[in-house]
Amino acid sequence: MTEQSMHLRETVRRRYAAAAIQVTEGGSACCGPAAIEIDDTFGSALYADGERDALPAEAVAASLGCGNPTAVADLNEGDRVLDLGSGGGIDVLLSARRVGPTGKAYGLDMTEEMLALALANQKKAGAANVEFLKGTIEAIPLPAETIDVVISNCVINLSTDKQSVFAETYRVLVPGGRIGISDVVADDTLTPVQRAERGDYVGCIAGALSFTEYRVGLEAAGFTDIEITPTHPVADGMHSAIVRATKPQTVHPGRQGGATDPVECCGVTACCTPGEQATAPSVTAVEAKSAAGCGCEA
């Protein structure tokens, strides 16, 4: 990790640590802790009244996301769910209710203060099928093929190594597993500099991928059935979006470093043949395979 990436990660950590402390120790409203003030495009207002009312007030107050991934993730009884960047636990607790006692909801966060808040909220909610983990979304501390659904709420855009996030998400999902993510996505016409002009990194704007970049990154990791649907604007040319994708039931061997697949590998058709081409027109075949760590790069 570069020095700049380490600095950005620490900046993000400090911001979310301060948010957790604000909810835990800060001011309160008449009926509980005051929600962290952002604007109407982020936070607890994006959840239905019934969802908010069923959770501890502190979990609702600590919501900093740009959407409601549990509303779009197609969770079923018995599913094992992982929330990347789980914060105060609102999406984990909602997921736990939907998957029931035969399922399980994991929350992953790198911030001690947020994890402490989440654990307190779990206790208040009496959620037995919940586990919170400390770690980063670029190196998920779970074994391969142990998760049915991965969700995330406006967190992947904060990562300085999004391709590792996509690869790790793919790794922990079972074949046929799926993602239901809310994230900030930029118009393809906006340059990184223009995205930064619209908001800082921890404000979920500067680090956002474009629609094409997001799709290419997911394809390079091996995902299929990719849908990226904008829901509401968060800045000029920047959108909160729902991202859905699936890990194929049958994984091409080349994606895991084994024998090559002559049809498709790491977002490349006709892999390792003279006719190979990237499935996304904006990158070369070499770039697609290199980004995914494909086993047939040579």
Side-chain angles (χ1 to χ4, degrees), residues 55-56 59 81-96 104-135 141-142 151:
L55 296 176
V81 185
L82 169 64
D83 181 17
L84 301 180
S86 49
I90 183 170
D91 294 318
V92 177
L93 296 176
L94 287 173
S95 296
K104 187 163 184 177
Y106 294 91
L108 174 63
D109 207 281
M110 67 176 181
T111 307
E112 290 278 4
E113 292 84 354
M114 275 295 183
L115 286 169
L117 177 60
L119 288 168
N121 288 330
Q122 176 190 357
K123 184 176 181 179
K124 291 176 182 177
N129 59 338
V130 165
E131 182 177 349
F132 288 101
L133 307 169
K134 183 179 180 181
L142 285 171
I151 64 173

Side-chain angles (χ1 to χ4, degrees), residues 134-157:
K134 183 179 180 181
T136 67
I137 61 176
E138 297 86 0
I140 299 172
L142 285 171
E145 300 186 359
T146 54
I147 298 296
D148 298 298
V149 186
V150 171
I151 64 173
S152 186
N153 197 351
C154 202
V155 170
I156 293 176
N157 62 84

Side-chain angles (χ1 to χ4, degrees), residues 145-215:
E145 300 186 359
T146 54
I147 298 296
D148 298 298
V149 186
V150 171
I151 64 173
S152 186
N153 197 351
C154 202
V155 170
I156 293 176
N157 62 84
L158 299 174
S159 172
T160 59
D161 186 2
K162 296 175 180 63
Q163 200 57 51
S164 289
V165 178
F166 296 148
E168 278 288 273
T169 300
Y170 188 89
R171 180 185 66 82
V172 299
L173 282 170
V174 299
R178 57 207 182 274
I179 64 172
I181 290 169
S182 295
D183 211 358
V184 173
V185 185
D187 284 343
D188 290 333
T189 56
L190 292 184
T191 66
V193 172
Q194 290 171 323
R195 298 170 211 175
E197 290 171 349
R198 284 154 171 78
D200 63 15
Y201 203 91
V202 295
C204 302
I205 301 289
L209 296 174
S210 70
F211 284 92
T212 295
E213 289 168 345
Y214 220 115
R215 179 175 294 275

Side-chain angles (χ1 to χ4, degrees), residues 251-261 265-266 271-272 293-297:
V251 178
H252 293 298
R255 287 199 176 102
Q256 300 300 324
T260 62
D261 184 334
C265 168
C266 304
C271 187
C272 301
C294 187
C296 56
E297 285 184 30

